[in-house]
Amino acid sequence: MIPLEAYLILAGLIFSMGLINLLINRNLIIVFVSLEVMLAGVNLALVALSHYMNDIRGQVLAIFTIAVAAGSVAVGLSLLIAHFNLKKSVDTEEIRELKEE
Amino acid sequence: MIYFIFAYFCLATLGISIMSLTRKNPVHAVLWLLLLFLHVAVIYLFLNAEFLAMVQVIVYAGAILVMFLFTLFLLGARQLPKHKRYTSILEGRLLIGLSITATLLAVFSSIKAEYSGKYTIKYVHDVGNTKAIGAMLFNEYSLAVLILGVILLIPMIAVSVLAWRRKDDTS
């Protein structure tokens, strides 16, 4: 029997790799990719806990996560295209429309 | 034997996520992400979540990845201007990330599964994974499923609005 901690530590490592990359990367596309990696880590933790606690709610929550992630990524990518059409750039450091100068 | 397979999938998942996050070319990053999703689906199979593994492959690998690739090709990934890839590390972002990592690992390594529900492995095996999840979804979480439908409808409208507005805009 594989211990629960193995799955949880794997999920935590995947999540935090995505998080670190989300914080330090400048390319908006890679930021979305790291968001997906973070969500994969979260889903893995949910499913592992659901398996070891003999309760199926974790898997149901993971399905909800996947569906909401699909919607959010659709909006995010279309905003990315709109911003790229406007500025010809996908650099997160150059998105300053809302910043008060 | 199962331990070797599990160890392979653990190490491969970690390696693939590092590869997917450090690629310069976004297309390569997205393709490594596809491989990551397939490996995570196999790890779901270790956890007796067959339905979720299937959903992972169909929705993530089939739909979201295609959306990413469409976006990349719409942007013209090769013509993107070359910038510096990372923000300046000294701003403290890396420190925040590492501290959250340490907190997560400390918390996750001390979690014990003490609560035990009624959906044991034997029960789920008898009923069938898909049927068990479906019964839970449509009985206990039926309102959440309805709200989920609204949550999926609103982005659809939003994306259409964002795409339509381009006509009269002078960009």
Side-chain angles (χ1 to χ4, degrees):
Chain A
M1 193 75 172
I2 298 155
L4 171 65
E5 289 83 9
Y7 289 107
L8 287 183
I9 289 174
L10 176 67
L13 280 176
I14 295 174
F15 179 85
S16 33
M17 275 195 289
L19 177 71
I20 291 175
N21 223 288
L22 182 116
L23 287 173
I24 67 173
N25 221 309
R26 295 176 59 147
N27 191 340
L28 207 48
I29 301 165
I30 305 290
V31 167
F32 276 113
V33 169
S34 38
L35 200 68
E36 293 299 313
V37 173
M38 283 168 75
L39 284 168
V42 171
N43 281 339
L44 191 57
L46 277 174
V47 177
L49 283 170
S50 138
H51 178 65
Y52 281 89
M53 290 188 177
N54 289 329
D55 201 335
I56 216 159
R57 286 190 181 86
Q59 299 183 20
V60 175
L61 285 180
I63 290 176
F64 285 147
T65 315
I66 290 176
V68 174
S72 68
V73 166
V75 175
L77 287 178
S78 64
L79 280 174
L80 172 75
I81 292 178
H83 180 263
F84 181 78
N85 283 336
L86 209 62
K87 297 274 177 183
K88 300 290 171 225
S89 162
V90 290
D91 197 333
T92 54
E93 300 287 297
E94 291 179 10
I95 302 175
R96 295 180 187 280
E97 277 82 38
L98 295 179
K99 187 178 176 185
E100 207 172 352
E101 303 252 348
Chain B
M1 187 61 194
I2 196 84
Y3 288 101
F4 286 112
I5 302 176
F6 179 71
Y8 162 71
F9 276 101
C10 272
L11 295 176
T13 308
L14 291 176
I16 288 167
S17 30
I18 290 175
M19 285 298 278
S20 123
L21 294 174
T22 51
R23 290 306 92 194
K24 257 193 187 127
N25 191 338
V27 180
H28 293 172
V30 171
L31 291 178
W32 280 102
L33 190 67
L34 170 66
L35 203 57
L36 172 72
F37 284 154
L38 295 179
H39 276 73
V40 171
V42 176
I43 294 180
Y44 287 166
L45 289 182
F46 277 101
L47 293 164
N48 287 349
E50 297 95 7
F51 179 69
L52 205 60
M54 198 184 71
V55 168
Q56 170 95 3
V57 171
I58 292 176
V59 175
Y60 262 135
I64 297 184
L65 259 292
V66 173
M67 204 149 67
F68 266 103
L69 283 178
F70 263 120
T71 312
L72 284 179
F73 292 132
L74 274 175
L75 295 185
R78 285 187 177 276
Q79 278 85 41
L80 285 184
K82 293 275 182 288
H83 284 298
K84 256 174 44 191
R85 289 199 57 216
Y86 299 110
T87 54
S88 63
I89 305 289
L90 294 176
E91 277 179 356
R93 303 182 187 193
L94 194 63
L95 203 63
I96 295 171
L98 288 176
S99 55
I100 291 178
T101 309
T103 315
L104 276 181
L105 290 185
V107 170
F108 276 177
S109 57
S110 64
I111 285 182
K112 294 274 180 292
E114 280 160 350
Y115 169 77
S116 181
K118 61 175 182 163
Y119 289 87
T120 56
I121 297 172
K122 186 176 177 307
Y123 175 81
V124 172
H125 184 75
D126 285 345
V127 176
N129 189 276
T130 311
K131 191 172 177 184
I133 290 181
M136 178 66 95
L137 263 180
F138 290 114
N139 289 322
E140 201 167 324
Y141 287 90
S142 52
L143 180 65
V145 172
L146 292 179
I147 295 174
L148 192 67
V150 179
I151 290 177
L152 286 179
L153 178 68
I154 291 172
M156 204 177 76
I157 300 171
V159 170
S160 317
V161 169
L162 275 172
W164 268 89
R165 215 183 46 179
R166 204 108 309 276
K167 290 229 164 140
D168 45 299
D169 247 10
T170 51
S171 61

